[in-house]
Amino acid sequence: MAKIVNYISEAFEELKSNVTWPEWAEVQKLTIVVAIFSVLFALATWGVDEFFAKTLEGFFNWLKA
């Protein structure tokens, strides 16, 4: 158990002393960029999915006729 406590203690010390943390304004700006690209990627994926669904539906309707 002492090894686990020591590991966690050293990890927190590493985070406090050796990690360069970005400024809060930069974090907010980058979060907005990530959110916008996530929405755009989701919309693009939805669009491609709808296109292929309509294409396959049309193909199978054509086969039935």
Side-chain angles (χ1 to χ4, degrees):
M1 185 67 172
K3 286 184 178 183
I4 295 173
V5 172
N6 187 36
Y7 175 79
I8 293 172
S9 172
E10 287 178 3
F12 276 111
E13 184 60 36
E14 181 84 16
L15 287 171
K16 286 192 294 185
S17 62
N18 295 337
V19 174
T20 303
W21 296 99
E23 296 295 322
W24 182 244
E26 184 181 6
V27 171
Q28 290 175 325
K29 182 176 68 171
L30 292 176
T31 300
I32 291 170
V33 170
V34 168
I36 289 171
F37 276 101
S38 295
V39 169
L40 290 175
F41 187 74
L43 289 173
T45 303
W46 173 78
V48 170
D49 181 57
E50 284 294 314
F51 171 76
F52 281 114
K54 298 289 184 192
T55 303
L56 286 174
E57 182 181 353
F59 176 72
F60 286 118
N61 284 338
W62 177 73
L63 285 178
K64 279 192 222 177

